[in-house]
């Protein structure tokens, strides 16, 4: 055994594996003249250092201040220790369970971008260039610990030059598991084109410039791409994909993005972040884009190129590209080669392919800067599976598996103080998505060696995720926790804000489409008083019947009819030529009979359906929606000026208290007759809804002695509504708890279910 000297042991926890942390520590120690060693130990890094106390202090401070871009240092613990004498070394990893240590896929770093642009570099124009600061991670991992044999790079043995970089602690590719070069790494080719021998990127660019549509294999799956300026190409893509109006995302470099959109410094930083999300940005008037990109919208989903392939292709095309999910309408994104060839035939004209397998499907993440910070709308590539930290008094919580809801599904695993909220998995009412969900469940459980002590599900008995959770709990003999939909929404907002169990109750405003309530009816515009274990509904939007059940969620005029009949009376609706024209040719007698008899016309207090109805009366919604949220998005886009709020009534004698939109609809009809223009009416609606719910929440908070108000539900992804609601709550002296890293829509449900179940198990 060698000589030992007095020093200290430093334990670093957080995201410190697969991010170049050990070579960073090595270089830091050498720079400060310290001896010792560093090794991985499960989900921690253990460092032993010897040297002057001042140098050790500087070293400890730099561990967080100068950490690699992908690292997240959460705790640094120092203790005296005997340290091997001699120069600083990197040691072999110790045994340990990595429970939450997989890093998300990361956009190409500046050094690698420079390398692929340098004709003298051996990776010049190489589409799979990466290093410890960038490249594929979660999309290629097949097992833990994270090492090349447990990735889809296992089939690409390193050449001597790559091996030398991989083994050199001073090199930025030290232990970069996806390391590759043109001699030993994945290859690119073009299928479906006759230009044999041509450079695949240059030829793909030529096809795109000529108006053709391509499938492009990326990190987490296939995209369908076309020229975003070519109106005919965009129209053809929409026709082939059967996607008539849903906005399309665009990939552009930063300079082009500034030419298309108004971008704040905060938004520019979000675009350039290593997670590289699709960011919703304000369109510039007259932006040079095909009009079919985002019809009727004032915002555009933009992402920067995030792989070397994207950088090279975009530069070769010389214009922005549509980059939409490679799938058929409503199906999951495709990530297997043969499935792409089969399912995308007839949609695309050619395929830009490569031979690196994708371990799991990862849709692009979607975000928007709202109410002072970036807020995630869809958690996917670049964000998952980055762990979320639970509030302080959840550290000893038992592990929970939560399965989320039916739409925008995601699952969540908790492990001590951490929660792993999965990537977006899609809508489970689509059979192929349901199968993918079950595959993802098995994948996460195996990858993270998760053994739950309980399973959490939604109250709705017909959700596929609920049935799956019931079967799993019964088979394994585990407790099953059923969590009401809106309680889960609000618990997710509370937990992300760090609200402890010991902090007690909050008032919660939950605004979304529909979720099953504790009374067996459909809820979607509720005020609750809740802690993590329990919730109590104290107020709601006055319910209306959904004539035709699910059909009312697709046809806004059905919901409008119910609201107008309730607010004005049927004879007034039928006797008003302007209103009667809205329902021309519609089977009003049948629908009204259904509502009278309660036949396939369940009552619902839905904010989402209220948006649909208001959009319909303003002529902003089609008879039948082509995608979820279409009417609400049109209504938000129209609300481009300030206007006094429309009135709502407040029935305090009702149990629960009712927030009545009848005065809103009376005012809307009066303004229609007066010829008031739609932007002012749309703005007045947003202001009125915010005023009604914040006023009611403030009354509840005062009567209950509470000071915080949690906001959640998909409707709060509306910028105007969220910002108006936050402003009004703060004017009452209340603290809003608003989701940011967790989607406010159903993509965050599983996280909320998990913390509710954990709190109940902890007692």
């Amino acid at each position: 055994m060698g000589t030992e000297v007095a020093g200290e042991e430093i334990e670093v926890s957080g995201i410190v594996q697969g991010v170049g942390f050990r070579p960073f520590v090595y270089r830091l120690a050498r720079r400060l003249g310290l001896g010792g060693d560093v090794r991985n130990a499960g989900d921690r890094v253990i460092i032993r250092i010897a040297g002057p106390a001042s140098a050790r202090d500087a070293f400890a401070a730099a561990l967080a201040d100068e950490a690699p871009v992908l690292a997240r240092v959460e705790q640094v613990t120092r203790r005296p220790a005997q340290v091997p004498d001699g120069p600083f070394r990197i040691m072999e990893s110790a045994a340990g369970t990595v429970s939450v240590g997989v890093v998300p896929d990361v956009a190409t770093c500046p050094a690698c971008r420079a390398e692929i642009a340098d004709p003298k570099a051996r990776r010049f124009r190489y589409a799979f260039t990466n290093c410890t600061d960038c490249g594929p991670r979660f999309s290629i991992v097949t097992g833990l610990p994270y090492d090349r044999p447990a990735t889809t790079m296992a089939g690409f043995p390193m050449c001597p030059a790559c091996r030398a970089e991989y083994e050199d602690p001073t090199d930025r590719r030290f232990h970069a598991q996806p390391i590759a070069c043109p001699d030993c790494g994945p290859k690119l080719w073009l299928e479906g084109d006759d230009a044999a021998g041509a450079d695949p990127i240059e030829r793909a660019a030529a096809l795109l410039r000529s108006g053709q549509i391509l499938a492009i294999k990326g990190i987490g799956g296939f995209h369908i791409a076309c020229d975003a300026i070519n109106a005919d190409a965009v129209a053809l893509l929409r026709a082939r994909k059967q996607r008539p109006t849903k906005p399309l995302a665009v990939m552009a470099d930063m300079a082009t993005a500034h030419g298309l959109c108004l971008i704040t410094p905060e938004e520019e930083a979000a675009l350039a972040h290593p997670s590289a999300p699709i960011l919703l940005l304000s369109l510039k008037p007259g932006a040079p884009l095909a009009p079919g990109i985002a019809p009727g919208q004032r915002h555009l989903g933009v992402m920067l190129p995030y792989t070397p392939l994207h950088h090279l292709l975009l530069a070769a095309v010389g214009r922005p590209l549509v980059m939409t999910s490679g799938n058929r309408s409503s199906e999951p994104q495709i990530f297997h080669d043969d499935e792409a060839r089969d399912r995308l035939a007839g949609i695309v004209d050619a395929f830009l392919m490569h031979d690196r397998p994708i371990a799991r499907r990862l849709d692009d993440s979607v975000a928007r800067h709202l109410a002072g910070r970036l807020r995630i709308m869809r958690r996917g590539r670049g964000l998952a599976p980055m762990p979320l930290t639970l509030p302080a008094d959840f550290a000893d919580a038992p592990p929970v598996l939560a399965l989320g809801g039916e739409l925008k599904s995601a699952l969540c695993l908790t492990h001590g103080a951490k929660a792993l909220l999965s990537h977006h998995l899609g809508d489970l009412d689509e059979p192929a998505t349901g199968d993918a969900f079950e595959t993802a469940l098995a994948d996460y459980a195996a990858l993270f060696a998760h053994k739950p002590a309980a399973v959490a599900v939604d109250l709705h008995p017909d959700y596929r995720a609920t049935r799956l959770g019931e079967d799993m709990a019964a088979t394994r003999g585990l407790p099953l926790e059923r969590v009401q939909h809106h309680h889960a929404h609000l618990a997710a907002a509370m937990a992300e804000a760090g609200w402890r169990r010991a902090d007690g109750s909050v008032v919660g405003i939950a605004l979304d489409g529909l979720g099953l309530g504790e009374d067996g009816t459909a809820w979607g515009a509720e005020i609750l008083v809740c802690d993590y274990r329990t919730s109590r509904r104290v107020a709601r939007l006055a319910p209306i019947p959904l004539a035709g059940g699910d059909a009312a969620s697709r046809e806004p005029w059905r919901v409008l009819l119910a609201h107008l009949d309730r607010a004005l009376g049927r004879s007034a609706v039928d006797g008003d030529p302007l209103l009667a024209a809205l329902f021309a040719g519609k089977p009003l007698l049948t629908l009204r009979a259904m509502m009278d008899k309660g036949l396939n016309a369940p009552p619902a207090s839905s904010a989402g359906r209220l948006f649909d109805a208001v959009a319909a009366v303003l002529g902003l919604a089609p008879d039948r929606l082509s995608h979820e949220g279409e009417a609400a998005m049109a209504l938000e886009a129209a609300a481009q000026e300030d206007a006094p709020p429309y009135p709502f009534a407040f029935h305090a004698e009702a149990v629960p208290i009712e927030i009545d939109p009848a005065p809103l609809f009376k005012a809307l009809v009066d303004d229609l007759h007066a010829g008031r223009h739609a932007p002012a009416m749309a703005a007045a609606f947003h202001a009125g809804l915010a005023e009604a719910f914040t006023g009611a929440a403030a009354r509840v908070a005062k009567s209950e002695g509470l000071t915080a108000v949690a906001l959640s539900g998909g409707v709060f992804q509306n910028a105007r509504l969220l910002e108006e609601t936050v402003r009004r709550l703060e004017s009452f002296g209340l603290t809003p708890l608003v989701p940011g890293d967790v989607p406010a829509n159903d993509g965050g449900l599983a996280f909320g279910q998990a913390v509710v179940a954990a709190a109940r198990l902890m007692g």
Side-chain angles (χ1 to χ4, degrees), residues 274-349:
S275 59
I278 296 172
L279 195 64
L280 294 186
L281 301 169
S282 296
L283 266 169
K284 282 185 174 178
L289 285 173
I293 294 285
Q297 295 301 304
R298 296 177 183 266
H299 288 82
L300 176 69
V302 177
M303 59 180 155
L304 300 187
Y306 57 83
T307 72
L309 170 58
H310 292 134
H311 282 282
L312 295 167
L313 181 63
L314 206 63
V317 175
R319 60 190 70 183
L321 295 175
V322 168
M323 281 281 178
T324 188
S325 292
N327 58 359
R328 289 188 175 272
S329 182
S330 81
E331 293 182 359
Q333 184 181 21
I334 293 166
F335 67 103
H336 292 305
D337 296 0
D338 288 343
E339 185 182 10
R341 294 181 181 106
D342 176 47
R343 299 298 295 159
L344 300 183
I347 296 178
V348 304
D349 301 303

Side-chain angles (χ1 to χ4, degrees), residues 93-94 105 117 131 133 174 176 209 252 305 362 390 407 470 496 498 522 634 642 646 671:
S93 299
D105 298 279
C131 68
D133 288 339
F174 176 76
R209 286 195 302 269
L362 289 167
L390 298 178
L407 303 180
E470 290 170 341
E496 186 186 338
D642 293 328
Y646 277 135
D671 281 348

Side-chain angles (χ1 to χ4, degrees), residues 449-538:
H450 190 258
K451 296 181 180 179
V455 179
V457 297
D458 192 89
L459 286 184
H460 202 301
D462 296 329
Y463 283 178
R464 182 164 179 168
T466 301
R467 297 197 304 270
L468 186 63
E470 290 170 341
D471 292 345
M472 183 178 297
T475 300
R476 300 186 186 182
L478 297 174
L480 181 71
E481 292 291 341
R482 301 181 189 273
V483 183
Q484 197 277 322
H485 193 91
H486 302 94
H487 186 197
H489 269 312
L490 298 171
M494 293 161 61
E496 186 186 338
W499 191 265
R500 300 170 303 172
R501 292 184 299 137
D503 293 330
S505 296
V506 304
V507 180
I509 303 176
L511 302 180
D512 66 357
L514 294 170
L516 185 65
E518 292 170 348
D519 61 358
T521 66
W523 296 3
E526 322 301 320
I527 297 179
L528 309 180
V529 171
C530 58
D531 55 21
Y532 286 111
R533 297 179 63 195
T534 63
S535 69
R536 170 170 51 95
R537 183 168 69 158
V538 293

